Amino acid sequence: MSQKANQLLKNKKKNILELWMKNQLADEGLREDLISNDELRSQSEELINALVTNLSGENFTNLDADEWSPVIEILGGIAITRARQGFSPRETGNFVFSLKEAILEVLQQEITGDQSNLYTESQKINRLMDSLSVVTFETFIKGREEVILRQTDEITEISTPVIRVWDGILALPIIGTLDSARTQIVMENLLQEIVETGSSIAILDISGVPAVDSLVAQHLIKTVSATRLMGAECIISGIRPEIAQTVVHLGIDLSNIITKASLASALAYSFRVMRLEVKKISTVSKP
Amino acid sequence: MDKIPILRMGAFLLVTIQVDLYDRLALNLEADLVQMVNKTSAKGVLIDISAVSIVDSFMGRIIGNIASMSKILDAETVVVGMQPAVAITLIELGLPLKGVHTALDMEKGMKLLKSMIDETEEDADEDQTHDDFIAE
């Protein structure tokens, strides 16, 4: 960028900011519910300041250069906060694109008469702002991915609780599809809990598992065998009729695993094994 | 050379493995244990592996072997105190240790062994009375 245009942009920083703010506020997609106008202004101002300081540099188009890192940092910070706040990609993109429009407009006003100069300067600004918007998008998507990853982790954590239903009896309701990674977590949680509570019976309730294929059955058998190795007994409960049909049709042998139709019958079985009895107290009429 | 002690307690033999088993040690244990079962005519073998944190397929096979050999010599084998990670490893290796009884801790293992031996003795008694009945 020529010294002149460079100096010009520096002097017109205020104008650009005003124009940019006007563009942003005029935009129909402005999200006043997510970000206040004051905050938007301070974000914009910070970015312009960093940008204009760097315009004088030699590496004008090379964004990998060190001198651009503050600008990219600010832009990345803005993109990530926006991803977390729930801005759409379009709104985030418009943030940078409206800045480009503002700069181009100022250039057009200031460089009059010299068409070829205006053209070259606009071209440079275009190239710069395009690479900056690519950076914004990259960071935005990265931020979104982080959010998704965190949620996935949370879901796997939440969805495998081990419940102590009785002294010595654990229940583990499985909800959702059972894949290898999940089986691993379920198995580890269950075995750890068996050790901690000294339970001798574990009930694996699969009423929340949508489908059982040979792979899922294999995972279940693995969990049951591991529990047996630890010295506890494992009962599979909550087998729906459709699942029973599929299992038989697939030719999966569950004969050496104790299976019960419902959690209630599994619990009743566990009580029998542990020689416990649940009795109804006879209501004696008071004298 | 290291040697794993085999303790006698009534009709049972107690083996507590306190170190990580390497192949030679495991083989020696297998031989010693079978000798000991034979010599003491033990009714049950209790192996505590709560301190074992590393297993491989060889270890799994040795435990299976000990169980089958003891069974031939009329003694039941109970493995107690397996760690979760060890259990998962054995399953992943495809060694569900069929024919080996397991218990969560020493106390439960002892109870299990006792109940098993009671059962077999009861069976023997029943056979006896049955024979008597026929004799009469």
Side-chain angles (χ1 to χ4, degrees):
Chain A
M1 178 157 282
S2 69
Q3 276 306 320
K4 198 177 140 228
N6 181 8
Q7 204 54 46
L8 192 149
L9 282 181
K10 243 180 206 171
N11 297 338
K12 293 286 172 188
K13 200 165 79 183
K14 272 258 157 48
N15 282 21
I16 295 173
L17 179 63
E18 287 312 318
L19 212 54
W20 187 21
M21 284 309 294
K22 211 181 84 197
N23 279 353
Q24 287 192 77
L25 294 177
D27 192 2
E28 278 176 18
L30 180 71
R31 300 291 295 268
E32 285 180 51
D33 50 334
L34 292 180
I35 189 164
S36 70
N37 286 347
D38 288 344
E39 208 177 325
L40 186 64
R41 175 174 280 273
S42 71
Q43 271 185 359
S44 309
E45 203 167 354
E46 193 185 5
L47 183 62
I48 287 193
N49 282 341
L51 189 69
V52 171
T53 350
N54 270 311
L55 282 177
S56 52
E58 295 283 308
N59 298 315
F60 189 67
T61 45
N62 182 14
L63 280 185
D64 292 332
D66 284 345
E67 58 203 60
W68 280 107
S69 61
V71 177
I72 288 174
E73 216 165 86
I74 291 170
L75 211 50
I78 293 173
I80 283 201
T81 17
R82 288 192 164 217
R84 290 200 188 123
Q85 281 167 339
F87 277 86
S88 75
R90 178 192 290 264
E91 286 151 7
T92 314
N94 275 345
F95 175 71
V96 181
F97 287 131
S98 55
L99 170 63
K100 178 165 93 176
E101 270 168 29
I103 296 181
L104 287 181
E105 213 173 315
V106 169
L107 272 183
Q108 218 159 20
Q109 282 167 9
E110 295 303 319
I111 308 177
T112 42
D114 191 351
Q115 286 297 327
S116 69
N117 191 19
L118 176 62
Y119 177 75
T120 28
E121 298 303 339
S122 309
Q123 198 73 348
K124 277 178 187 165
I125 287 290
N126 255 327
R127 218 173 291 147
L128 171 72
M129 294 311 291
D130 285 350
S131 3
L132 282 181
S133 49
V134 168
V135 169
T136 316
F137 261 89
E138 265 177 359
T139 342
F140 180 78
I141 289 170
K142 216 184 275 166
R144 287 291 273 263
E145 275 169 358
E146 269 168 24
V147 171
I148 294 170
L149 222 65
R150 207 188 57 231
Q151 285 171 344
T152 317
D153 281 351
E154 267 170 28
I155 290 170
T156 43
E157 270 298 305
I158 293 166
S159 62
T160 52
V162 183
I163 307 160
R164 231 177 111 175
V165 282
W166 206 266
D167 193 27
I169 304 173
L170 293 178
L172 206 157
I174 302 175
I175 305 203
T177 324
L178 206 56
D179 56 12
S180 305
R182 193 120 183 262
T183 317
Q184 194 72 21
I185 297 169
V186 166
M187 210 194 278
E188 276 169 20
N189 283 353
L190 180 63
L191 297 190
Q192 200 54 51
E193 202 64 23
I194 286 175
V195 172
E196 274 165 26
T197 59
S199 303
S200 51
I201 292 179
I203 303 170
L204 220 59
D205 188 80
I206 58 163
S207 35
V209 178
V212 173
D213 56 10
S214 46
L215 202 67
V216 173
Q218 185 63 39
H219 289 322
L220 285 175
I221 292 171
K222 265 188 189 172
T223 312
V224 173
S225 311
T227 323
R228 204 189 67 84
L229 275 185
M230 296 280 303
E233 204 169 353
C234 193
I235 305 165
I236 295 181
S237 77
I239 298 174
R240 281 173 285 129
E242 311 89 72
I243 287 182
Q245 271 180 322
T246 342
V247 166
V248 172
H249 283 165
L250 288 171
I252 301 162
D253 184 25
L254 291 181
S255 58
N256 43 9
I257 293 175
I258 306 159
T259 49
K260 297 282 169 206
S262 64
L263 188 68
S265 47
L267 199 59
Y269 173 84
S270 326
F271 282 157
R272 249 199 329 279
V273 170
M274 297 183 75
R275 296 174 190 195
L276 294 171
E277 208 177 349
V278 182
K279 262 196 207 161
K280 186 171 185 177
I281 302 169
S282 56
T283 44
V284 183
S285 53
K286 281 173 192 164
Chain B
M1 207 182 86
D2 290 338
K3 208 167 159 79
I4 292 172
I6 301 168
L7 312 174
R8 190 176 163 191
M9 192 179 144
F12 307 136
L13 293 182
L14 288 182
V15 182
T16 313
I17 302 173
Q18 307 269 13
V19 290
D20 279 329
L21 276 183
Y22 50 92
D23 294 1
R24 181 55 98 40
L25 199 61
L27 279 174
N28 282 343
L29 174 68
E30 184 188 290
D32 289 351
L33 199 58
V34 177
Q35 287 287 337
M36 200 67 171
V37 170
N38 190 29
K39 205 164 77 189
T40 60
S41 57
K43 289 280 165 214
V45 178
L46 211 132
I47 306 174
D48 172 31
I49 57 166
S50 54
V52 176
S53 54
I54 299 168
V55 280
D56 53 8
S57 51
F58 186 77
M59 247 292 286
R61 221 189 74 202
I62 291 285
I63 293 176
N65 281 355
I66 291 176
S68 335
M69 290 171 187
S70 310
K71 189 79 200 152
I72 296 171
L73 296 168
D74 194 26
E76 299 286 347
T77 307
V78 177
V79 173
V80 302
M82 191 181 292
Q83 286 183 18
V86 172
I88 293 173
T89 312
L90 283 178
I91 293 304
E92 293 297 339
L93 288 171
L95 293 164
L97 296 188
K98 289 222 158 66
V100 179
H101 302 282
T102 49
L104 208 57
D105 50 37
M106 204 63 152
E107 195 183 333
K108 286 187 174 137
M110 216 49 149
K111 220 184 259 171
L112 179 69
L113 262 185
K114 274 192 182 126
S115 69
M116 276 192 296
I117 281 159
D118 285 348
E119 264 171 36
T120 49
E121 275 174 4
E122 269 169 29
D123 286 351
D125 290 349
E126 271 170 25
D127 288 350
Q128 196 65 41
T129 48
H130 193 62
D131 289 346
D132 291 349
F133 181 70
I134 288 170
E136 278 174 17

